[in-house]
Amino acid sequence: MYGETGDLMRTELAALLRQHRILHRLGAHPPSAPDAVPEREAAGIVIGQYRQTVLSWCAEAVMAAKPLVFSATLPAPANPFRTSEDRGTAVSELARALGRAREASRTPPASTALLGTAHPNEVVEHWRHAARAAALAEHDTNGLAGQRLTGPQAQAVVGDVAAVTQALVVLDQRYLNVPGWERLTDPGRLGWTALATALDVGLGRPDYSVDATGWRPRTHALRIGPQRGILGVLQSEHDLLVHLRSFPTAMNLRLIVDSQQRLSRRLAILAQRADAPRAEAWRARAAAYSVLKQQLRNVGGRIGRGGHAVADAANATARLRALPAQSIVEPRVAAGFQTLFNGIDQRIAEIIETGIDQKTYLQRVQLPRLVPDSAGLVAPVRERFTPIDRSANKELVRAVRGLVPHIEPEAATPGRSRSALHSALIHQPAGRRTDPGLPGP
């Protein structure tokens, strides 16, 4: 996820910006010792490869986000039928400068083995963690992930790239005395274009919800064996959410819905003493599933699976019934249940909506017919299964949408790592004066 990789990269670069006297930090021997030059030169070569990895991510990320970032400073063209040229904008100049710096460098990016091998030196280790984060961030901002970005999210990514580029320029100047150090190509222009891009993006409204996008590892069922008590119920609910990835049949869906109704009603009783508002919310959830269960009585469909999900739902209800009546749901456990409930509710609503759209779930309707004579006392009812019509089944649609109430998402904040990196860019040692006419701090 981009929030994790970007946060780690900015945190490590901020730590590097607060380090001074680099030659003394890169080696165990004093700078005047005979073995000091080879030792520091070897460390500088490794750092150069790590820096090249970060620089490559910057160049690729800004290219992926550039089509969605429009300058807030250039005037619109007089002819409305002509698109505005990106040449001369801050983002395009930053992309061009980053591309030149990456292509002109003779240092290759860090290999996978180098990224995975810890280094005893603290400075090199900070660089390694920043390069690892940059290598992982390629999955979050490039390729398919980059194509899903919105305009404001692309502005946030470009702002991060601009801040990281400024950090690389500052560190490049600070590492000049390292033996064998390769300078960035045209660092002055690179730094100024990064600053101009940061100012241009800041005039817009970057959307920091981009931190929640990107690649995520696939979740699996918990392979820790059956747990006892309330944790066993939590484990079954987690496994249920994982197994709901497969599309269930209509019968299995009804069993899962029934289990969630029973589970919510019982958990609301256990959570009443510790968290009354959450218990009330779970009672409302049980009522919503009760209505949905009634609406699914005449819904059929044999396409799908869902056997593992039904088993997990049955395990959850059975383990919950085995709990003593005096059990109390702790706030931390209740928060875990709420997170799982949100995911299960969202997934069940998606399953029903998909089943209706793809005509996988059908509705049982009764057809009138004339029976001239019948061998039995009661003539059997003629039934047929037809595709579900949303306009004629508004109660079912309303029950499905009631599972996931519309809640306005909270505005995403920049986070601490962004402000920490910006403050580290202007950081100076405590003994250095900012103005000759003013006393030092």
Side-chain angles (χ1 to χ4, degrees):
M1 193 166 61
Y2 179 67
E4 298 175 355
T5 55
D7 181 81
L8 178 59
M9 182 165 34
R10 292 187 295 268
T11 301
E12 298 299 331
L13 289 175
L16 289 168
L17 288 170
R18 297 183 180 277
Q19 292 180 348
H20 300 268
R21 298 174 62 87
I22 302 302
L23 286 179
H24 292 271
R25 294 175 178 269
L26 283 181
H29 302 86
S32 58
D35 298 336
V37 174
E39 182 183 20
R40 286 165 172 78
E41 184 175 3
I45 293 175
V46 175
I47 291 175
Q49 297 182 27
Y50 290 147
R51 184 190 66 178
Q52 188 67 16
T53 302
V54 179
L55 188 66
S56 299
W57 171 79
C58 291
E60 295 174 2
V62 75
M63 289 300 297
K66 188 178 71 169
L68 293 173
V69 178
F70 304 96
S71 177
T73 57
L74 294 181
N79 188 349
F81 296 98
R82 292 186 57 185
T83 59
S84 58
E85 299 181 358
D86 66 340
R87 188 174 184 83
T89 62
V91 178
S92 62
E93 293 302 322
L94 176 61
R96 196 172 292 110
L98 286 170
R100 284 200 302 264
R102 181 178 62 171
E103 295 172 359
S105 177
R106 301 184 303 272
T107 303
S111 62
T112 305
L114 192 60
L115 291 173
T117 305
H119 199 278
N121 187 272
E122 179 186 4
V123 177
V124 181
E125 190 66 6
H126 280 302
W127 278 103
R128 185 179 75 89
H129 285 297
R132 279 168 56 94
L136 293 174
E138 293 179 0
H139 300 280
D140 303 326
T141 56
N142 303 336
L144 293 177
Q147 296 176 7
R148 299 190 184 101
L149 292 177
T150 63
Q153 289 176 346
Q155 290 182 359
V157 172
V158 170
D160 294 341
V161 171
V164 171
T165 303
Q166 293 181 68
L168 293 180
V169 172
V170 173
L171 293 173
D172 178 68
Q173 179 69 25
R174 194 172 297 174
Y175 284 59
L176 282 179
N177 295 329
V178 177
W181 180 256
E182 182 185 5
R183 291 213 63 183
L184 291 173
T185 302
D186 200 358
R189 181 170 182 79
L190 189 61
W192 282 112
T193 53
L195 178 60
T197 302
L199 294 175
D200 193 6
V201 171
L203 295 176
R205 294 182 178 180
D207 184 7
Y208 296 105
S209 65
V210 68
D211 292 342
T213 63
W215 177 84
R216 293 187 181 185
R218 186 174 182 179
T219 55
H220 299 276
L222 297 178
R223 304 185 182 93
I224 56 176
Q227 300 296 305
R228 295 182 178 179
I230 192 66
L231 296 181
V233 184
L234 193 67
Q235 177 190 16
S236 298
E237 282 291 283
H238 173 272
D239 294 346
L240 170 62
L241 179 58
V242 172
H243 290 141
L244 276 177
R245 285 197 296 256
S246 62
F247 193 86
T249 62
M251 175 62 72
N252 290 336
L253 178 63
R254 284 197 294 269
L255 294 175
I256 294 171
V257 168
D258 178 70
S259 70
Q260 294 307 298
Q261 187 259 340
R262 296 173 182 269
L263 196 74
S264 301
R265 185 176 56 188
R266 176 63 176 166
L267 281 175
I269 298 175
L270 299 181
Q272 179 64 37
R273 295 173 59 188
D275 194 345
R278 195 182 296 276
E280 186 63 29
W282 288 351
R283 290 192 190 94
R285 182 175 186 264
Y289 271 100
S290 178
V291 174
L292 180 61
K293 184 173 65 173
Q294 295 176 4
Q295 297 299 324
L296 291 176
R297 287 182 301 178
N298 293 324
V299 174
R302 296 184 177 181
I303 298 177
R305 297 181 180 179
H308 293 291
V310 171
D312 295 327
N315 288 336
T317 53
R319 292 173 181 177
L320 185 60
R321 284 198 305 266
L323 292 178
Q326 297 78 15
S327 300
I328 297 177
V329 181
E330 299 178 2
R332 184 177 180 182
V333 178
F337 273 114
Q338 188 62 53
T339 302
L340 294 174
F341 285 167
N342 293 338
I344 291 173
D345 298 346
Q346 181 70 35
R347 180 54 186 157
I348 289 178
E350 292 175 357
I351 288 173
I352 299 176
E353 294 283 354
T354 303
I356 295 176
D357 294 337
Q358 298 181 358
K359 297 179 174 56
T360 306
Y361 291 153
L362 307 174
Q363 184 180 19
R364 180 174 55 194
V365 295
Q366 296 180 0
L367 300 179
R369 65 172 179 173
L370 296 176
V371 181
D373 55 355
S374 177
L377 295 178
V378 179
V381 179
R382 188 181 182 185
E383 296 179 343
R384 291 290 185 272
F385 283 91
T386 61
I388 299 176
D389 185 7
R390 293 178 184 271
S391 59
N393 295 272
K394 295 182 180 180
E395 294 183 357
L396 174 60
V397 175
R398 193 179 300 112
V400 172
R401 295 177 179 176
L403 293 180
V404 187
H406 179 70
I407 301 176
E408 291 294 334
E410 297 181 0
T413 59
R416 295 183 178 180
S417 61
R418 289 184 173 90
S419 60
L421 179 58
H422 289 176
S423 62
L425 285 170
I426 59 174
H427 166 74
Q428 288 187 353
R432 186 176 300 176
R433 296 181 179 181
T434 58
D435 192 326
L438 298 177

